Amino acid sequence: MADELLTVAEVVIRLKVGRTKVYDLIRTRRLVSIKVDGCRRIPASAVGDFIAGQMERAA
């Protein structure tokens, strides 16, 4: 089954950070994203991977 694609606004809510921070994470390649007809989309698994990576770094 295909991974759920999230909008930037949905990622903002999930990570509880601002829109600018999400775009910064994308720009620095810390959060994987794709473009669909000019619209930025983030796979839900990429958000999970980002969180897991942050947890590992904190440990």
Side-chain angles (χ1 to χ4, degrees):
M1 185 170 144
D3 200 359
E4 178 185 11
L5 295 176
L6 305 171
T7 65
V8 170
E10 291 170 325
V11 175
V12 164
I13 292 167
R14 289 187 184 204
L15 294 180
K16 295 178 177 40
V17 297
R19 180 176 170 270
T20 302
K21 183 61 178 178
V22 172
Y23 279 110
D24 183 56
L25 293 172
I26 292 168
R27 183 182 55 78
T28 59
R29 299 177 188 251
R30 293 170 59 202
L31 186 61
V32 175
S33 71
I34 62 170
K35 274 194 161 184
V36 178
D37 290 333
C39 298
R40 187 64 62 182
R41 296 293 180 258
I42 301 97
S45 62
V47 176
D49 292 345
F50 173 76
I51 293 169
Q54 293 297 94
M55 298 282 288
E56 287 177 13
R57 291 170 99 189

